PDB file of all heavy atoms in Angstrom:
ATOM      1  N   THR A 223    -122.627-175.477 -82.519  1.00 96.00           N
ATOM      2  CA  THR A 223    -122.462-174.004 -82.141  1.00 96.00           C
ATOM      3  C   THR A 223    -123.523-173.696 -81.084  1.00 96.00           C
ATOM      4  O   THR A 223    -123.247-172.801 -80.352  1.00 96.00           O
ATOM      5  CB  THR A 223    -122.587-173.081 -83.278  1.00 96.00           C
ATOM      6  OG1 THR A 223    -123.804-173.465 -83.995  1.00 96.00           O
ATOM      7  CG2 THR A 223    -121.537-173.367 -84.315  1.00 96.00           C
ATOM      8  N   ALA A 224    -124.572-174.502 -81.037  1.00 97.00           N
ATOM      9  CA  ALA A 224    -125.468-174.409 -79.900  1.00 97.00           C
ATOM     10  C   ALA A 224    -125.524-175.764 -79.270  1.00 97.00           C
ATOM     11  O   ALA A 224    -126.195-176.733 -79.671  1.00 97.00           O
ATOM     12  CB  ALA A 224    -126.864-174.076 -80.445  1.00 97.00           C
ATOM     13  N   PRO A 225    -124.705-175.965 -78.057  1.00 97.00           N
ATOM     14  CA  PRO A 225    -124.490-177.310 -77.510  1.00 97.00           C
ATOM     15  C   PRO A 225    -125.789-177.831 -76.794  1.00 97.00           C
ATOM     16  O   PRO A 225    -126.737-177.120 -76.470  1.00 97.00           O
ATOM     17  CB  PRO A 225    -123.307-176.990 -76.591  1.00 97.00           C
ATOM     18  CG  PRO A 225    -123.482-175.582 -76.146  1.00 97.00           C
ATOM     19  CD  PRO A 225    -124.036-174.832 -77.361  1.00 97.00           C
ATOM     20  N   ILE A 226    -125.776-179.123 -76.596  1.00 97.00           N
ATOM     21  CA  ILE A 226    -126.676-179.845 -75.684  1.00 97.00           C
ATOM     22  C   ILE A 226    -125.965-180.544 -74.746  1.00 97.00           C
ATOM     23  O   ILE A 226    -124.688-180.949 -74.938  1.00 97.00           O
ATOM     24  CB  ILE A 226    -127.759-180.646 -76.486  1.00 97.00           C
ATOM     25  CG1 ILE A 226    -126.921-181.822 -77.287  1.00 97.00           C
ATOM     26  CG2 ILE A 226    -128.552-179.850 -77.425  1.00 97.00           C
ATOM     27  CD1 ILE A 226    -127.866-182.775 -77.988  1.00 97.00           C
ATOM     28  N   GLY A 227    -126.531-181.056 -73.643  1.00 97.00           N
ATOM     29  CA  GLY A 227    -125.784-181.721 -72.573  1.00 97.00           C
ATOM     30  C   GLY A 227    -124.829-182.890 -72.927  1.00 97.00           C
ATOM     31  O   GLY A 227    -123.730-182.922 -72.518  1.00 97.00           O
ATOM     32  N   VAL A 228    -125.332-183.736 -73.775  1.00 98.00           N
ATOM     33  CA  VAL A 228    -124.499-184.896 -74.111  1.00 98.00           C
ATOM     34  C   VAL A 228    -123.354-184.627 -74.897  1.00 98.00           C
ATOM     35  O   VAL A 228    -122.273-185.320 -75.007  1.00 98.00           O
ATOM     36  CB  VAL A 228    -125.362-185.967 -74.946  1.00 98.00           C
ATOM     37  CG1 VAL A 228    -125.701-185.509 -76.411  1.00 98.00           C
ATOM     38  CG2 VAL A 228    -124.757-187.341 -74.757  1.00 98.00           C
ATOM     39  N   VAL A 229    -123.234-183.451 -75.565  1.00 98.00           N
ATOM     40  CA  VAL A 229    -122.145-182.996 -76.334  1.00 98.00           C
ATOM     41  C   VAL A 229    -120.887-182.637 -75.496  1.00 98.00           C
ATOM     42  O   VAL A 229    -119.882-182.537 -76.057  1.00 98.00           O
ATOM     43  CB  VAL A 229    -122.598-181.740 -77.188  1.00 98.00           C
ATOM     44  CG1 VAL A 229    -121.334-181.045 -77.684  1.00 98.00           C
ATOM     45  CG2 VAL A 229    -123.612-182.283 -78.292  1.00 98.00           C
ATOM     46  N   SER A 230    -121.089-182.605 -74.228  1.00 98.00           N
ATOM     47  CA  SER A 230    -119.920-182.262 -73.306  1.00 98.00           C
ATOM     48  C   SER A 230    -118.777-183.282 -73.417  1.00 98.00           C
ATOM     49  O   SER A 230    -117.745-183.057 -73.275  1.00 98.00           O
ATOM     50  CB  SER A 230    -120.413-182.297 -71.871  1.00 98.00           C
ATOM     51  OG  SER A 230    -121.065-183.505 -71.542  1.00 98.00           O
ATOM     52  N   LEU A 231    -119.222-184.547 -73.865  1.00 98.00           N
ATOM     53  CA  LEU A 231    -118.188-185.589 -74.117  1.00 98.00           C
ATOM     54  C   LEU A 231    -118.005-185.940 -75.495  1.00 98.00           C
ATOM     55  O   LEU A 231    -117.432-187.025 -75.814  1.00 98.00           O
ATOM     56  CB  LEU A 231    -118.490-186.869 -73.257  1.00 98.00           C
ATOM     57  CG  LEU A 231    -118.480-186.644 -71.710  1.00 98.00           C
ATOM     58  CD1 LEU A 231    -118.744-187.916 -71.022  1.00 98.00           C
ATOM     59  CD2 LEU A 231    -117.185-186.056 -71.208  1.00 98.00           C
ATOM     60  N   TYR A 232    -118.631-185.219 -76.384  1.00 98.00           N
ATOM     61  CA  TYR A 232    -118.608-185.464 -77.772  1.00 98.00           C
ATOM     62  C   TYR A 232    -117.212-184.793 -78.381  1.00 98.00           C
ATOM     63  O   TYR A 232    -117.111-183.586 -78.473  1.00 98.00           O
ATOM     64  CB  TYR A 232    -119.762-184.838 -78.574  1.00 98.00           C
ATOM     65  CG  TYR A 232    -119.618-184.920 -80.052  1.00 98.00           C
ATOM     66  CD1 TYR A 232    -119.772-186.196 -80.764  1.00 98.00           C
ATOM     67  CD2 TYR A 232    -119.564-183.745 -80.776  1.00 98.00           C
ATOM     68  CE1 TYR A 232    -119.752-186.209 -82.166  1.00 98.00           C
ATOM     69  CE2 TYR A 232    -119.482-183.880 -82.317  1.00 98.00           C
ATOM     70  CZ  TYR A 232    -119.574-185.095 -82.874  1.00 98.00           C
ATOM     71  OH  TYR A 232    -119.578-185.077 -84.258  1.00 98.00           O
ATOM     72  N   ALA A 233    -116.194-185.598 -78.492  1.00 98.00           N
ATOM     73  CA  ALA A 233    -114.853-185.162 -78.890  1.00 98.00           C
ATOM     74  C   ALA A 233    -113.988-186.107 -79.431  1.00 98.00           C
ATOM     75  O   ALA A 233    -114.377-187.234 -79.471  1.00 98.00           O
ATOM     76  CB  ALA A 233    -114.116-184.567 -77.506  1.00 98.00           C
ATOM     77  N   HIS A 234    -113.020-185.626 -80.192  1.00 98.00           N
ATOM     78  CA  HIS A 234    -111.941-186.484 -80.779  1.00 98.00           C
ATOM     79  C   HIS A 234    -111.223-187.289 -79.574  1.00 98.00           C
ATOM     80  O   HIS A 234    -111.156-186.814 -78.413  1.00 98.00           O
ATOM     81  CB  HIS A 234    -110.991-185.739 -81.553  1.00 98.00           C
ATOM     82  CG  HIS A 234    -109.994-186.525 -82.177  1.00 98.00           C
ATOM     83  ND1 HIS A 234    -108.832-187.045 -81.568  1.00 98.00           N
ATOM     84  CD2 HIS A 234    -109.824-186.905 -83.533  1.00 98.00           C
ATOM     85  CE1 HIS A 234    -108.034-187.655 -82.468  1.00 98.00           C
ATOM     86  NE2 HIS A 234    -108.564-187.549 -83.643  1.00 98.00           N
TER      87      HIS A 234
END
Side-chain angles (χ1 to χ4, degrees):
T223 55
I226 61 175
V228 74
V229 170
S230 56
L231 299 184
Y232 175 69
H234 185 279

